[in-house]
Amino acid sequence: MHILIVEDDQVARDHLAKALREVGHTVDVAVNGLEGLHLASSIALDLAIVDRMLPKLDGLALVQSLRATGRKFPVLILSALGDVDDRITGLRAGGDDYLTKPYHMSELMARIDALARRGELGGGEAATRLKLADLELDRMTRRVTRGGKKIELTAREFQLLEFLMRHSGQVVTRTMLLEGVWDYHFDPQTNVIDVHISRLRQAIDKDFDKPLLHTVRGAGYSLSEEE
Amino acid sequence: MDQEQRFLGVLTSSPFRIAIIYSVLFALGAVALLGAVYFAVSRVIDGSTDNLIEAEVQGLREQVLVLSRSDFIELIEQRSQDQDVRGAVYLMVDPQLRPVAGNLPAWPTIGAGEGKWIQFKVAVPYGDQTRVHEVRAQRFPLPGGYRMLVGHDVQERQDVKNVMMRGLVAAVVMTMLLGLGGGIWMGRRILAHAGAISAVATQIMRGDLSQRLPVRDAEDELNTLAREINGMLDKIEQLTLGMRTVLDSAAHDLRTPLNRLQSTAEAALAHLGEASPERRVLERVTTEVDRMRSTLDALLRIALAETGTVAREAVDLSELVASIVELYAPVTEERGIELQSRVAAGAHIQGSRQLLAQAFANLLDNAIKFTPSGGHIRVFLRNETGGPEVLVEDDGPGIPADKRELALGRRVRLDEARKVPGSGLGLSLVAAVTKLHGARLVLADAGPGLSVALKFAST
């Protein structure tokens, strides 16, 4: 992917660019909002990571200008502000995801992958049937089967599985799950997500030889055919 | 607001009440003024006709002594002939009350006694029609059992009195109507203004500090008040904006170096082998960064909630509490704690869903932390008359009564709590969020254990 980083903090910018290049992305960097706007308008981008507070042109204003000129690539906003309302203003300005500093690189990478996938799929999100190996989920009938055998899930487990299947093959963090499935934006002190995942794992993997729901150490979970 | 309510609103508004009181006072004034004029004029008119009749009676009494009966009859005829009935009235009757002379057709039946003044009605022809006129008269005996009546048509003066009376009633009715109409008009005007003010005030209380009270062109007390309150709001907005700016820059200045620390540590970690001794050190660093971040997040959220500038939305409290219970149910089960809940449906409030969710999550995190395996946690949402109430109870060690106040303060971790991890800001955040929503936070003994109640005001 061709990714643009607009970040005024040099240390963060360098580490981010290096990490993204290491996993094979093409990276351009801009140190202020104006430079970011010029670059974003002149090159074909797959994704942009924009810091919220930037010199010369504010991050939100930058995203708004991009959207106003018809640029549709996904934008991840990084913020060093307080949160709650800031997230909403960030997304309203045209951002697709919002991450507060300090962040784990694994969290950022997982979110970038999810955003890129969303861009690829386009309207594909509306697909009623999701399939991974012998696991099938029908959003209309709310029926889940594995190897033709029906699996009973609670409403929440169904939502959780649907989220994981839509991100199959990618790493999904606990925060992403809490945001995507429960619409909560805070970190619980208790390992609530892990327990929900282990229940889901019981339901879909227990009676089958090949596990599909994997734990990714230090990052989160992944639903995939590969180990 | 429907019509009826609006009308009732006008009726109970203070300007309307004042208008009613004043219109009644003005009406009383009109009654007193016009009444005084009425009586004075009546007295003058009455007095002048009465004097006329008295003089005529006196004259005739003298004449009857010197004139023969026939001359006297002629005198009466003379006097009554050149007089219209509307003017002077004469009647002389014989002892059988049969008319002998005069311009009155019959002796009046009323007032048979010999009282000085009598008043009676007479039909007077007016072309084809007849009109009833009022006559005021005196009677006196004549020699030989004859009787005499001398009077005067007082219809004109009655007409004047009637006109005055009608004028008086009309004036009073007009005063009342004007007062009432003016009261309703003023009431509606002020109510409209006050309604606009209270609508904006509600929005302001919900946290939209950019709103200002409406100011009209007219110079009245409400306008002056609205302007002064707006000035006050400007000041408050400036202060909160200042606080937000301080918070934002504090957040920025703390998050940026933390982020550098984190990314530097992670970048270094990426090149270290699994067994490398430096790995442990760097992992400690990232763990500490995480801890600092969660403390910072909590502090910022508490500060945000305390500035009251968080956006409010309609929150389905029932759905929210049920969803938090559902989020925590598996983890309690895994730890051998029984989580019971009873959530009443249909509880709605205005507020921040995210902050409320975090507050409830903090309460459950706390309850789980302090409840041993085999214990119970109960979550209730009740629709009380005063508003919804959320209750989280556990049967852990609880908090002694004398330390409950303390537990809500910032950065207080009671001795018992030191054994378990946490930033110690959980309850402080709950307290700040409760305050933000105008709710009351009550810590009590669940016997055994801690009971935390959030009592919201109904909206």
Side-chain angles (χ1 to χ4, degrees), chain B residues 36-205:
Chain B
V37 171
Y38 176 85
F39 283 112
V41 170
S42 304
R43 274 188 71 142
V44 170
I45 303 174
D46 289 355
S48 65
T49 43
D50 284 5
N51 286 342
L52 226 65
I53 294 167
E54 292 266 15
E56 190 67 8
V57 167
Q58 196 54 45
L60 287 175
R61 272 184 194 274
E62 280 162 17
Q63 291 291 324
V64 82
L65 295 178
V66 293
L67 289 177
S68 70
R69 178 162 300 153
S70 53
D71 285 349
F72 187 73
I73 289 171
E74 201 171 327
L75 176 76
I76 300 295
E77 287 294 351
Q78 256 178 22
R79 292 223 171 155
S80 51
Q81 256 160 32
D82 57 313
Q83 296 291 337
D84 185 12
V85 163
R86 291 183 58 198
V89 172
Y90 297 94
L91 183 63
M92 182 180 170
V93 290
D94 64 13
Q96 283 75 42
L97 297 179
R98 280 185 301 242
V100 176
N103 53 9
L104 204 63
W107 192 255
T109 47
I110 51 138
E114 287 300 312
K116 199 178 175 190
W117 289 102
I118 57 164
Q119 208 151 330
F120 56 93
K121 288 183 167 65
V122 172
V124 181
Y126 268 89
D128 299 340
Q129 299 171 330
T130 54
R131 269 179 63 183
V132 174
H133 277 205
E134 191 85 22
V135 173
R136 187 167 167 84
Q138 276 193 21
R139 293 167 302 184
F140 60 94
L142 295 172
Y146 285 82
R147 297 170 125 198
M148 185 69 213
L149 180 148
V150 176
H152 209 276
D153 188 328
V154 290
Q155 190 55 44
E156 258 175 71
R157 102 182 184 197
Q158 199 59 44
D159 286 346
V160 170
K161 281 187 187 177
N162 285 346
V163 166
M164 281 181 57
M165 182 54 88
R166 273 203 294 273
L168 184 104
V169 171
V172 170
V173 169
M174 281 295 284
T175 313
M176 293 288 286
L177 281 179
L178 276 174
L180 217 70
I184 290 175
W185 179 71
M186 268 170 58
R188 289 183 78 121
R189 233 175 89 92
I190 293 184
L191 266 193
H193 197 173
I197 288 179
S198 97
V200 173
T202 314
Q203 277 180 296
I204 293 170
M205 285 202 295

Side-chain angles (χ1 to χ4, degrees), chain B residues 306-324:
Chain B
E306 282 180 350
T307 59
T309 51
V310 183
R312 326 277 165 103
E313 56 189 336
V315 178
D316 183 344
L317 204 58
S318 306
E319 178 271 326
L320 182 61
V321 173
S323 128
I324 290 286

Side-chain angles (χ1 to χ4, degrees), chain A:
Chain A
M1 279 201 291
H2 196 157
I3 299 174
L4 172 69
I5 302 169
V6 192
E7 163 71 274
D8 62 325
D9 184 52
Q10 199 201 329
V11 179
R13 187 176 62 231
D14 290 350
H15 283 303
L16 189 51
K18 189 160 174 273
L20 286 170
R21 283 186 186 120
E22 271 170 11
V23 291
H25 297 299
T26 310
V27 178
D28 275 307
V29 292
V31 299
N32 63 54
L34 226 53
E35 200 186 316
L37 186 61
H38 284 309
L39 274 174
S41 318
S42 52
I43 50 176
L45 287 175
D46 296 308
L47 192 139
I49 299 169
V50 178
D51 185 57
R52 205 187 145 137
M53 273 164 97
L54 289 168
K56 293 196 181 167
L57 181 68
D58 176 66
L60 289 190
L62 165 60
V63 177
Q64 272 168 336
S65 327
L66 286 177
R67 293 309 185 216
T69 51
R71 301 267 152 169
K72 291 207 174 62
F73 52 79
V75 174
L76 171 71
I77 297 176
L78 293 179
S79 167
L81 295 183
D83 51 0
V84 194
D85 292 349
D86 292 317
R87 156 183 297 278
I88 297 163
T89 33
L91 298 185
R92 248 183 226 150
D96 298 277
D97 202 357
Y98 193 96
L99 195 57
T100 310
K101 293 179 185 177
Y103 50 83
H104 284 242
M105 201 55 84
S106 55
E107 181 80 42
L108 187 124
M109 291 295 181
R111 280 167 190 267
I112 284 174
D113 285 348
L115 283 179
R117 168 74 77 89
R118 211 201 294 182
E120 272 170 41
L121 285 175
E125 264 186 76
T128 52
R129 290 176 78 91
L130 298 168
K131 197 171 181 311
L132 177 78
D134 54 350
L135 181 65
E136 278 186 54
L137 179 144
D138 190 322
R139 295 168 74 191
M140 293 294 284
T141 59
R142 305 194 74 77
R143 203 179 130 91
V144 177
T145 55
R146 186 161 180 200
K149 215 177 116 192
K150 187 164 190 265
I151 294 172
E152 295 294 342
L153 294 179
T154 65
R156 194 61 83 182
E157 284 164 352
F158 183 89
Q159 272 181 283
L160 198 55
L161 182 62
E162 185 191 332
F163 189 89
L164 287 164
M165 286 188 85
R166 281 203 277 118
H167 296 90
S168 62
Q170 302 171 4
V171 175
V172 173
T173 65
R174 292 171 183 82
T175 323
M176 283 166 75
L177 285 171
L178 196 63
E179 287 179 13
V181 178
W182 279 272
D183 188 26
Y184 289 141
H185 304 279
F186 58 85
D187 294 320
Q189 301 288 305
T190 322
N191 59 335
V192 281
I193 297 295
D194 297 330
V195 184
H196 275 276
I197 288 287
S198 82
R199 298 213 155 186
L200 182 62
R201 183 176 275 146
Q202 281 278 313
I204 64 167
D205 280 346
K206 195 185 165 207
D207 302 330
F208 300 89
D209 293 340
K210 194 176 173 185
L212 293 175
L213 186 46
H214 310 281
T215 303
V216 183
R217 208 177 76 87
Y221 300 96
S222 175
L223 193 69
S224 103
E225 283 187 78
E226 292 121 51
E227 290 286 320

